[in-house]
């Protein structure tokens, strides 16, 4: 079998490696949802339950109402090429994994459509959720090691709350080192 020549008009994608998901690193994009010693916590239910309190700034936006859904993400293999991003201009959107599996979070700052160079990639543990702040650009679910369910808290209401763009160049997410 003869290999086909590479097309000269298709550039090599930009390469990026996922970084650890931490509250400080993710702060420009929203909140990390996790039960840690740093969280405000207290005992409830007669001392039987520890409450990790107010972990994300859920924002349903004007005239919106908060809804709870389950999204089932199909696994993606690395390396994975990112060519598009989306954002929700009217409200925040929170994801909490229910399958205890690691997943990737691809983000870019809120504002104008991002360029490939603006992307950051985080490797989230199966016990960490994320809350995208209103208007933050992100890639749809990127489950890794199997089908993953996520509890999703987002908005229902009037107005168009999902915008998608194609990136100026492809970005190849490589496996963590």
């Amino acid at each position: 079998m003869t290999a086909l020549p590479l097309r000269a008009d298709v550039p090599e994608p930009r390469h990026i490696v996922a970084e650890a998901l931490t509250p400080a690193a993710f702060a420009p994009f929203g909140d990390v949802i996790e039960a840690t010693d740093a969280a405000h916590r207290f005992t409830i239910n007669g001392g039987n339950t520890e409450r990790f309190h107010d972990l994300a700034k859920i924002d349903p936006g004007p005239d919106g109402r908060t809804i709870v859904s389950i999204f089932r993400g199909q696994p993606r293999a690395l390396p994975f090429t990112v060519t598009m991003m989306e954002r929700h201009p009217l409200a925040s959107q929170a994801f909490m994994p229910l399958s205890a599996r690691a997943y990737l979070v691809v983000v870019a700052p809120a504002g104008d459509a991002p360029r490939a160079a603006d992307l950051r990639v985080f490797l989230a543990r199966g016990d960490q959720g994320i809350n995208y702040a209103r208007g933050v650009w992100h890639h749809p679910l990127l489950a890794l090691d199997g089908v993953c369910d996520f509890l999703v808290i987002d908005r229902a209401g009037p107005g168009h709350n999902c915008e998608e763009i194609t990136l100026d160049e492809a970005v190849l997410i490589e496996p963590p080192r």
Side-chain angles (χ1 to χ4, degrees), residues 14-77:
R14 178 180 298 270
H15 291 240
I16 192 167
V17 176
E19 58 188 283
L21 179 65
T22 65
F26 196 72
F29 311 105
D31 310 298
V32 174
I33 303 169
E34 61 184 335
T36 67
D37 291 342
H40 176 63
R41 60 191 191 168
F42 48 91
T43 304
I44 60 173
N45 298 334
N48 192 51
T49 302
E50 186 172 15
R51 178 177 177 148
F52 293 82
H53 184 70
D54 197 15
L55 299 176
K57 297 167 191 72
I58 303 301
D59 175 7
D63 301 320
R65 66 181 181 85
T66 303
I67 61 171
V68 176
S69 305
I70 292 178
F71 289 13
R72 180 161 290 155
Q74 300 301 310
R76 311 289 183 109

Side-chain angles (χ1 to χ4, degrees), residues 90-116:
L90 301 180
S92 64
Q93 189 178 44
F95 289 79
M96 192 67 204
L98 300 175
S99 303
R101 291 189 176 106
Y103 61 101
L104 291 176
V105 179
V106 181
V107 291
D112 294 335
R115 300 179 56 80

